[in-house]
Amino acid sequence: MLDHVGVNVTDYERSKAFYEAALAPLGLELVREQSGAAAGLGRGRKPCFFVAKRPPPVHGGLHVAFTAEDRPTVDAFHAAAVAAGGTDNGAPGVRERYHPHYYGAFVLDPDGNNIEAVCHKPPS
């Protein structure tokens, strides 16, 4: 079981703004910031996702999937992430190759990391 995940970024302020906007529909918000170079997003006072400006250089390629409560939340994540400067990497939709109720959306963050929101529930 994971407690938290972190991603290194090339432009801290740009990436912090991207993640604050993209993850807001999922109920995550900025809960901690350290030295203007590391941000923890989460619920309450518990960060679960960190963004940090640290060496080594960032090369992208990371894939992180966040659980969404329902399909409209996946849609809202995708719209917010694209509006915040992310690049569409898979519009919201069912991915039956994973399982019949896998509803996900994919966006590349400013450093090319593949960020996803997914709901595993059947439509309500």
Side-chain angles (χ1 to χ4, degrees):
M1 183 60 66
L2 297 175
D3 182 70
H4 60 274
V5 174
V7 59
N8 292 343
V9 300
T10 56
D11 183 328
Y12 173 71
E13 289 298 330
R14 177 183 69 179
S15 293
K16 181 180 82 165
F18 168 79
Y19 280 106
E20 282 185 283
L23 300 182
L26 303 175
L28 300 178
E29 62 185 4
L30 182 67
V31 297
R32 181 181 302 159
E33 189 166 17
Q34 300 164 333
S35 305
L41 292 96
R43 291 188 182 100
R45 296 186 324 197
K46 168 70 171 89
C48 63
F49 186 77
F50 288 88
V51 176
K53 170 97 172 135
R54 292 193 190 121
V58 176
H59 299 291
L62 178 70
H63 177 205
V64 177
F66 292 91
T67 302
E69 183 61 31
D70 52 33
R71 292 177 180 203
T73 302
V74 172
D75 298 343
F77 154 81
H78 186 264
V82 170
T87 303
D88 173 39
N89 196 35
V94 174
R95 270 51 177 203
E96 289 186 358
R97 65 185 174 271
Y98 303 132
H99 67 74
H101 301 298
Y102 193 108
Y103 188 87
F106 304 84
V107 177
L108 298 178
D109 77 359
D111 288 300
N113 295 301
N114 189 24
I115 309 304
E116 175 185 3
V118 59
C119 176
H120 294 281
K121 300 175 184 175
S124 46

